[in-house]
Amino acid sequence: MTESKRPRIGIVGTGAIGGFYGLMLARAGHDVHFLLRSEYRAVAERGLQLNSAVHGELALQPVQAWHCVADMPKCDWLLVGAKTTSNAELAPLIARLAAANARVVLLQNGLGVEDRLRPLLPDSLHLLGGLCFICVHRSAPGVIEHQALGAVNLGYHSGPPELDEGRQAIVEEGAELFRSAGIESVAMADLQQARWQKLVWNVPYNGLSVLLNAGTRRLMDSADSRALILELMCEVARGAAVCGQTLPDGYPEQLLAATDRMPDYLPSMYHDFRHGRPAELEAIYEAPLAAAAAAGCELPKMRMLLQALRFLEAARG
């Protein structure tokens, strides 16, 4: 780590997720640097704007915005908010931006994302997973709409040889960074279990929002789609169990109740399809299906959902 009082934090992928957490950390006094591509000019000129139902209207101006990786300073923490579909091309940028012994946190959905990125990174870097429980989207360049929630839970994946206590201390250090910015954060002891838990929500709502062209409110108000959501949730929980990850009793029902309390929300995959961006089908569907199949368990409803989404993605070219 650097010898500055607070670590330098880099945001790789300043979209809705990276922009939200980066803005909150910067407003809390942390040294935060944002790597941007297409939105660099807008953010450099006008800053970041957060319209939040939880925190109110917040702005960050000026922003330590960077367009060129070669010009950006090395960072002790790198928060990757880009989609999993771009991880392979981001790996060299992450390696270039990482300070010695840096911590890299993937604020991404899906299963196995750390496994696929790890071989592309230097062995000296610590790799963590971040599970974001938040309703957020980007409405314009540098403008973020935050509807509800905001917690981010962290778990350790891999890195230089450390005692288990040392690795957990790194996770606690990351969670404390978020908590210092007023964001709820828990240091998870088991990253794989945490990723399966997040899939229980992501699998049904992401895919069905695309197929049925509906947000969470309409999906929950229909008896048919609500029943399908519960069936998909239970199927994902069964896949987790055969992979050795037992989820809390009644977890699908808990998520249904939590979604009932949420405002109407269009998940990230809905926006990806709407704007012609690659969808995270591999991380959210293919990887857990493959893991469950390898353990001798088929998840037929989830596979049908994936097949329908593949059809739509192929049809749009």
Side-chain angles (χ1 to χ4, degrees), residues 12 17 51 65 105 109-110 112 119 122 126 128 132 164 168 180 193 204 211-212 222 227 234 260 266 273-274 301 312:
V12 181
I17 292 291
N51 302 317
V105 184
N109 289 322
H126 297 276
L128 292 80
C132 303
D164 288 343
Q168 194 61 21
S180 72
Q193 182 182 37
L211 294 185
L212 303 180
S222 163
C234 292
D260 275 328
L266 290 165
F273 269 83
R274 180 184 177 189
K301 287 185 172 63
L312 292 178

Side-chain angles (χ1 to χ4, degrees), residues 205-272:
Y205 289 103
N206 271 285
L208 291 178
S209 73
V210 174
L211 294 185
L212 303 180
N213 191 30
T216 54
R217 186 74 280 129
R218 285 178 58 206
L219 292 173
M220 295 297 284
D221 286 345
S222 163
D224 287 324
S225 57
R226 188 185 184 99
L228 180 55
I229 288 166
L230 181 58
E231 291 166 5
L232 281 162
M233 285 181 165
C234 292
E235 201 173 77
V236 177
R238 187 165 71 252
V242 300
C243 292
Q245 304 295 340
T246 303
L247 306 188
D249 291 339
Y251 190 63
E253 290 79 9
Q254 293 173 32
L255 289 185
L256 278 181
T259 308
D260 275 328
R261 296 190 295 269
M262 283 170 41
D264 188 34
Y265 178 61
L266 290 165
S268 60
M269 191 170 289
Y270 176 93
H271 294 285
D272 290 340

Side-chain angles (χ1 to χ4, degrees), residues 22-229:
L23 180 148
M24 295 296 289
L25 287 163
R27 285 181 57 88
H30 291 284
D31 183 15
V32 184
H33 297 255
F34 299 81
L35 180 64
L36 299 112
R37 294 181 179 178
S38 61
E39 298 188 5
Y40 168 75
R41 185 174 297 278
V43 173
E45 292 177 355
R46 299 190 294 274
L48 288 169
Q49 175 69 42
L50 175 65
N51 302 317
S52 172
V54 178
H55 306 286
E57 293 189 1
L58 303 177
L60 181 65
Q61 175 69 329
V63 174
Q64 296 188 107
W66 303 87
H67 188 252
C68 180
V69 174
D71 296 333
M72 188 169 166
K74 291 184 179 295
C75 298
D76 305 299
W77 286 86
L78 287 168
L79 309 184
V80 182
K83 294 296 180 66
T84 59
T85 51
S86 62
N87 277 0
E89 64 182 272
L90 287 178
L93 307 186
I94 294 171
R96 166 64 181 79
L97 292 173
N101 203 35
R103 290 87 157 100
V104 179
V105 184
L106 299 187
L107 300 176
Q108 298 176 332
N109 289 322
L111 192 69
V113 292
E114 294 86 9
D115 293 339
R116 290 188 290 277
L117 183 62
R118 177 75 262 181
L120 307 178
L121 297 179
D123 294 340
S124 59
L125 301 184
H126 297 276
L127 184 59
L128 292 80
L131 291 303
C132 303
F133 299 88
I134 187 170
C135 297
V136 67
H137 69 278
R138 185 178 53 196
S139 59
V143 181
I144 303 154
E145 310 294 334
H146 175 217
Q147 294 171 266
L149 308 176
V152 53
N153 295 340
L154 305 182
Y156 195 91
H157 179 267
S158 58
E162 297 262 357
L163 295 175
D164 288 343
E165 295 83 354
R167 293 184 168 189
Q168 194 61 21
I170 290 172
V171 183
E172 292 283 358
E173 180 185 350
E176 182 53 37
L177 278 180
F178 287 104
R179 290 194 290 262
S180 72
I183 297 165
E184 182 182 348
S185 185
V186 175
M188 306 292 288
D190 190 332
L191 176 60
Q192 287 302 101
Q193 182 182 37
R195 287 216 166 273
W196 274 105
Q197 285 189 220
K198 185 78 186 296
L199 282 168
V200 176
W201 195 94
N202 274 325
V203 164
Y205 289 103
N206 271 285
L208 291 178
S209 73
V210 174
L211 294 185
L212 303 180
N213 191 30
T216 54
R217 186 74 280 129
R218 285 178 58 206
L219 292 173
M220 295 297 284
D221 286 345
S222 163
D224 287 324
S225 57
R226 188 185 184 99
L228 180 55
I229 288 166

